[in-house]
Each structure stands twice: as structure tokens, then as C-alpha cells.
Amino acid sequence: MDKPSPIIGHKVDKSTLINLERGKIPPQAVDLEEVVLGAMMIDKKGVDEVIDILHPDVFYKDAHRFIYEAIFKLFESSEPVDLLTVSSQLKKEGKLEVVGGDFYLIKLTQKVASSAHIEFHARIILQKYIQRSLIKISNEIIEDSYSDSTDVFDLLDTAEAKLYEVTQGNLKRSAETAQNLVIQAKKKIEEISNKEGLSGIPSGFDKLDKLTSGWQPSDLVIVAARPGMGKTALTLSMARNIAVNSEIPVAFFSLEMSSVQLITRLISSETGLSSEKLRTGRLEKHEWEQLNVKVKALEKAPLFIDDTPSLSIFDLRAKARRLASQHKIKLIVIDYLQLMTAGGSQKGGNREQEISTISRNLKALAKELSVPVIALSQLSRAVETRGGSKRPILSDLRESGAIEQDADIVSFIYRPEYYKIDEWDDEERTPTQGQAEFIVAKHRNGGLDNIRLKFIGALGKFDNLEDFDSPFEFQSKMNADEENPFATPNLPSTDEAFGSAMNSDEDPDDNDVPF
């Protein structure tokens, strides 16, 4: 004889019943939600303390979310927040009855006597929301992991991006209103007015900063040139200016040179000791003192160098997110783009498609982290074969279609001295020795210009041209002062740039770029 149904039977075994206590309920703190909302309606101080901590989505109950939205709108409009104004705002939006009417609002205000400890309570509500978000993300990852059509590297990248958003407390929100954006823009303009017109990261090169207002958040900047022009030297000079002078954290990803080689270049630039002396270690006593004293600022600089070879765009994004989370980096430099790989499902495609994927993802990374990304790039041999001026143009970019499309700024480095051109093609016919031109060929949000810089090849360094009155002034400043115990005699000529595969004469063929 069959056992009676547990629903209609008179007597059932306890094991056949659903044990609600063992069921899983999403993390929540409804009682604290009530306390916080009640405190906000009876005390203005409570509104001021939590309005920047909470947003409507953190509330577990829909009624509480509607009430908070009403409070938030009143706050934005500089209206008083109390029982009557909140009730009126909800009535205007047609949500008063949905939340339980005036009776429920009165009930909330009766639960508290003041806004004491409201910030602590608000942070507990936020923690519960983060827990719910992590559960949601984890379930999505589990579901995607069971799918055979999912690319594992894409899944890892997506998972890390979502977790990074939670870590930053910046989960994806819906489109913002024009009113909010105008307020943000006005605030930014006020901040710029206090920074002498620089809204971005200052490069340390005065004319370039004037043109760009500093490197802007979420911008992708391409710096391209032929071998020997000094791409690494220029970006290292920028990284040094930003990290040492401005104390702004910088991440430098070097796919070609080791981190020790790069830091040796910076030591040469910082101390005025030539690369040859540092490579051989043949330093005089006063040069050792100079080395020890002048590297102190560099030692303290928030500069992070990663020399992982053949870095994939997936690995780069993962590393950049961690650096942004742990060290608050504000600028990313990549040396150089053609040595990167797409990784994941893009393996096996042609090189043009791979470069397109890389450049598109670099732009996405810049937007995600809201930092400028500077990527070095090669130029094709068309520059060398072209007659007349060797000044680069946009069509000289390798895989130029994708790079030019994704980049906010495309720039080139041009040193006529490298091509045995002794004079600039200007009216004054000024000498080119020890000089370079930074060409801004594309600027999505600003003007174009050719900016001349000082190039000191012996130190692998670029500087403002205005800081030197003649090509020989830097050398004379370092050598002439006999009273200076840190003077460095007999610097090599400015043509002795640091060697690297990218700066050698053995340029790989256009169709033979290392992956």
C-alpha cells in the first residue's frame, strides 16, 4: 500500500518536509534598510552622511529602493528631505501606494530616534548588496563554464572584469541623465582652472601638455616611429616626469627590454652618467656618490615595470586591473604593440586581425580603467624608401586601419639627424643636431602640431627644447663646472642611443612581425 501524500496525509515523517531553515536566502539587511531610511527622513545629517555611499540598487526591497530614489531626487534638487516631502515626491511619481502609503513611511520614522551610527548601518547594507552581486556573477560564470561554445580565455577576462567592477564599488549602471553629466563637467572645469589648464596627466613636455591639456583619461595614444628614433627613450622620459616630478603612479609594460635594462636607462637619465659607464661599471669615486644621491627620487617613484615577453591582451588587462586596484595607477605605457598577442580565440588569425583585436582591447581597457594608455608602434619601411622628407604620415603605420581608427591620438617621432639631415626645413634653417620632432598627426579632441624636443642620445632622454639654448648647452652644463663634484666628463655624442631590437638596423619585414 502506498504511503499517504505528505500534503494530504495526517501524519508524515519530518524528513519528507522541506526544511526552510536549510534553504538559501540572498544576503540582506532589511531591518537596517528601514533604520537608514527612517533616519534620513528625520535628520538632515543622516542624508549627508550616506548619500555618497548608497545608490538605489543596493536596497533589497523594491519599496525601499523607491523611497531612496525619492530622497535622492530631493537631495539633488536641494529640497528638504523629511516625511512630508518624501511622501509628496512618491505621490508625484505614482509610487506612494506601491511602497505602502503614508502609514509605512510613518512606521519607518518611528523605528529610530536619531541618525546615530547611520554610516555604519549604510556600509552593512552595501556589503550585503556586494554579496548578492558576487552570487549573481558567480552563477553567470558557472553557467557559461558549462557551455562548450565558451572560449575559456574570454570567460576569464569577462569574469575578472566583473569582479573588478565589484572591487571598485562601481558596478555597471544605466545611462546617466544630462543633469548629472553637466554637474560632473562643471566640477571638472573648476578643477582644471586650478591646475593651469591641465585636465589630464602632464607629460612634462610643456608644448605637448599645452596642446593636449595632459594625457586624458580613457584615451588611447599611439606613439610610432622608425627604429632608432627613440620611442622607448621618449616614453621612459614621460614615465619619469610623471612618476618622479608629479608623483603619479605609472605602469610600464615592456615586451622587448628587461626591467633592469629600463631602470638602467632611467638611472642614466636621472644621474647624467652615460649608458656606457653604467654598462661597464667603470665609475669614478665621485660618480658613485652621484649615482647614490641622485637615484633616491627614482627609488621612491610610483613606477611599476612589467617585462613579461609576448604578453597577450588578456594578460595585460588582468595585470592592469590589479595594478589599478592595488596601486591606483593613472597611466599605462606599452612597449610595443606589435610584440603583443591577441590570445584566446584570436590565435591562428592573420596578423592584421590580431592587431585590430589588440588595439580595440587597448581602447576598451583605457575606458574601463579611465586612464590614458600609451602604446608604442612600428612604422613601415615606406618612410625609408620615400624620397625628400622622411617625416612620417598616418599611412606609414603598420596595420594602420585598425590602429588609426581606435586611437584618440596618433603621434610620430622624427629625428632628421638620423637621416643625415643637418637643417630643419623651416625659414631659419636651424640645425637639427640633438633635436627631435613630436608630430601629433591625429587628435580626436584637439589640434595638431609638430613639437620640437631636445634629444640627448647619450642618456636616452628627451627634454623641453626651451630648457637649452644650444645643442651643446647640456653637455657644457654637465662638464664645465669644475666646482661641481658630480660633474660628468666627456659624455658620448647624442647619436649614441641605447641599443635594442627595435632600434637596430635589422628591421623585420612588414609581413614578418614577431608574434
Side-chain angles (χ1 to χ4, degrees), residues 98-128:
V98 176
V99 303
D102 289 331
F103 175 78
Y104 188 71
L105 296 180
I106 294 169
K107 181 182 173 183
L108 292 179
T109 60
Q110 290 176 338
K111 283 184 173 287
V112 289
S114 72
S115 62
H117 312 300
I118 188 172
E119 183 179 350
F120 181 76
H121 295 153
R123 294 198 182 279
I124 293 176
I125 295 170
L126 182 61
Q127 288 171 18
K128 298 298 182 183

Side-chain angles (χ1 to χ4, degrees), residues 297-513:
L298 189 59
E299 287 175 354
K300 298 176 182 177
L303 176 62
F304 305 91
I305 299 176
D306 186 302
D307 60 358
T308 305
S310 302
L311 191 65
S312 71
I313 187 63
F314 161 72
D315 290 332
L316 173 73
R317 292 179 70 168
K319 288 171 180 284
R321 288 188 192 110
R322 283 193 288 273
L323 285 168
S325 177
Q326 295 171 10
H327 302 289
K328 310 298 181 187
I329 58 167
K330 299 299 180 185
L331 178 79
I332 296 172
V333 181
I334 300 156
D335 183 12
Y336 60 97
L337 191 147
Q338 277 80 9
L339 286 179
M340 291 190 67
T341 61
S345 59
Q346 291 297 319
K347 285 185 177 179
N350 66 52
R351 186 56 179 165
E352 188 173 349
Q353 290 175 336
E354 194 168 9
I355 290 293
S356 175
T357 299
I358 293 168
S359 64
R360 186 169 61 251
N361 277 275
L362 288 178
K363 175 59 181 174
L365 177 64
K367 289 189 69 177
E368 178 186 341
L369 301 184
S370 191
V371 300
V373 172
I374 300 176
L376 305 190
S377 179
Q378 290 178 333
L379 290 179
S380 69
R381 284 181 174 168
V383 178
E384 312 289 347
T385 59
R386 189 164 57 237
S389 173
K390 303 294 184 181
R391 188 176 276 110
I393 56 177
L394 285 171
S395 60
D396 293 328
L397 271 172
R398 282 183 173 170
E399 298 90 17
S400 62
I403 297 173
E404 185 181 341
Q405 177 181 329
D406 295 324
D408 297 279
I409 295 177
V410 178
S411 58
F412 304 111
I413 305 171
Y414 172 54
R415 287 198 303 118
E417 187 180 9
Y418 181 84
Y419 298 107
K420 311 301 180 186
I421 300 173
D422 300 326
E423 296 179 338
W424 287 103
D425 51 357
D426 53 17
E427 294 181 2
E428 293 81 9
R429 310 300 294 180
T430 52
T432 61
Q433 185 177 359
Q435 295 186 15
E437 201 170 54
F438 189 85
I439 303 166
V440 180
K442 175 192 174 182
H443 190 184
R444 186 167 284 160
N445 301 307
L448 310 178
D449 200 0
N450 296 349
I451 298 165
R452 290 187 192 174
L453 301 172
K454 180 67 182 175
F455 175 65
I456 308 162
L459 305 181
K461 177 180 180 180
F462 282 78
D463 213 327
N464 290 300
L465 187 61
E466 292 74 16
D467 292 345
F468 306 93
D469 295 330
S470 74
F472 308 100
E473 186 175 343
F474 175 80
Q475 186 167 334
S476 64
K477 280 183 178 179
M478 294 298 296
N479 298 337
D481 189 0
E482 296 180 358
E483 296 180 0
N484 179 8
F486 293 154
T488 305
N490 303 320
L491 281 176
S493 69
T494 56
D495 286 332
E496 293 185 23
F498 289 74
S500 72
M502 199 172 179
N503 289 338
S504 68
D505 291 330
E506 298 178 3
D507 185 35
D509 186 76
D510 288 356
N511 297 320
D512 190 24
V513 182

Side-chain angles (χ1 to χ4, degrees), residues 36 77 118 134 212 218 230 247 286 320 328 340 412 456 480 487:
V36 167
S77 305
I118 188 172
L134 288 173
T212 62
S218 76
E247 298 182 352
H286 73 272
K328 310 298 181 187
M340 291 190 67
F412 304 111
I456 308 162

Side-chain angles (χ1 to χ4, degrees), residues 182-218:
V182 168
I183 292 170
Q184 291 177 33
K186 285 170 65 179
K187 186 177 179 182
K188 187 174 182 181
I189 293 168
E190 289 174 4
E191 291 174 355
I192 295 170
S193 66
N194 298 324
K195 294 181 181 179
E196 300 179 353
L198 289 183
S199 57
I201 307 296
S203 68
F205 302 127
D206 297 338
K207 287 188 176 179
L208 178 58
D209 289 338
K210 187 176 180 181
L211 179 69
T212 62
S213 295
W215 300 126
Q216 300 297 314
S218 76

Side-chain angles (χ1 to χ4, degrees), residues 73-224:
K73 287 176 182 176
L74 290 168
F75 177 82
E76 279 188 317
S77 305
S78 299
E79 298 287 339
V81 176
D82 56 37
L83 182 61
L84 293 176
T85 57
V86 173
S87 173
S88 175
Q89 181 67 29
L90 287 168
K91 191 179 295 181
K92 188 188 301 181
E93 296 173 1
K95 294 177 181 177
L96 181 59
E97 297 306 318
V98 176
V99 303
D102 289 331
F103 175 78
Y104 188 71
L105 296 180
I106 294 169
K107 181 182 173 183
L108 292 179
T109 60
Q110 290 176 338
K111 283 184 173 287
V112 289
S114 72
S115 62
H117 312 300
I118 188 172
E119 183 179 350
F120 181 76
H121 295 153
R123 294 198 182 279
I124 293 176
I125 295 170
L126 182 61
Q127 288 171 18
K128 298 298 182 183
Y129 169 66
I130 291 173
Q131 286 179 270
R132 296 198 300 273
S133 300
L134 288 173
I135 292 169
K136 180 175 180 289
I137 292 168
S138 300
N139 287 335
E140 291 173 354
I141 294 170
I142 291 169
E143 187 175 342
D144 290 339
S145 297
Y146 277 108
S147 174
D148 293 333
S149 62
T150 302
D151 181 88
V152 66
F153 294 103
D154 291 342
L155 178 60
L156 279 170
D157 188 50
T158 303
E160 186 160 28
K162 289 180 178 178
L163 290 172
Y164 176 78
E165 289 167 4
V166 174
T167 304
Q168 296 301 100
N170 190 28
L171 288 141
K172 289 183 179 178
R173 292 170 291 186
S174 57
E176 294 190 74
T177 65
Q179 182 184 20
N180 288 342
L181 294 173
V182 168
I183 292 170
Q184 291 177 33
K186 285 170 65 179
K187 186 177 179 182
K188 187 174 182 181
I189 293 168
E190 289 174 4
E191 291 174 355
I192 295 170
S193 66
N194 298 324
K195 294 181 181 179
E196 300 179 353
L198 289 183
S199 57
I201 307 296
S203 68
F205 302 127
D206 297 338
K207 287 188 176 179
L208 178 58
D209 289 338
K210 187 176 180 181
L211 179 69
T212 62
S213 295
W215 300 126
Q216 300 297 314
S218 76
D219 271 7
L220 174 60
V221 180
I222 299 296
V223 178

Side-chain angles (χ1 to χ4, degrees), residues 280-294:
T280 59
R282 295 173 183 172
L283 303 179
E284 302 294 335
K285 182 180 179 181
H286 73 272
E287 290 173 331
W288 281 111
E289 293 175 2
Q290 179 176 345
L291 176 63
N292 292 329
V293 170
K294 292 196 173 183

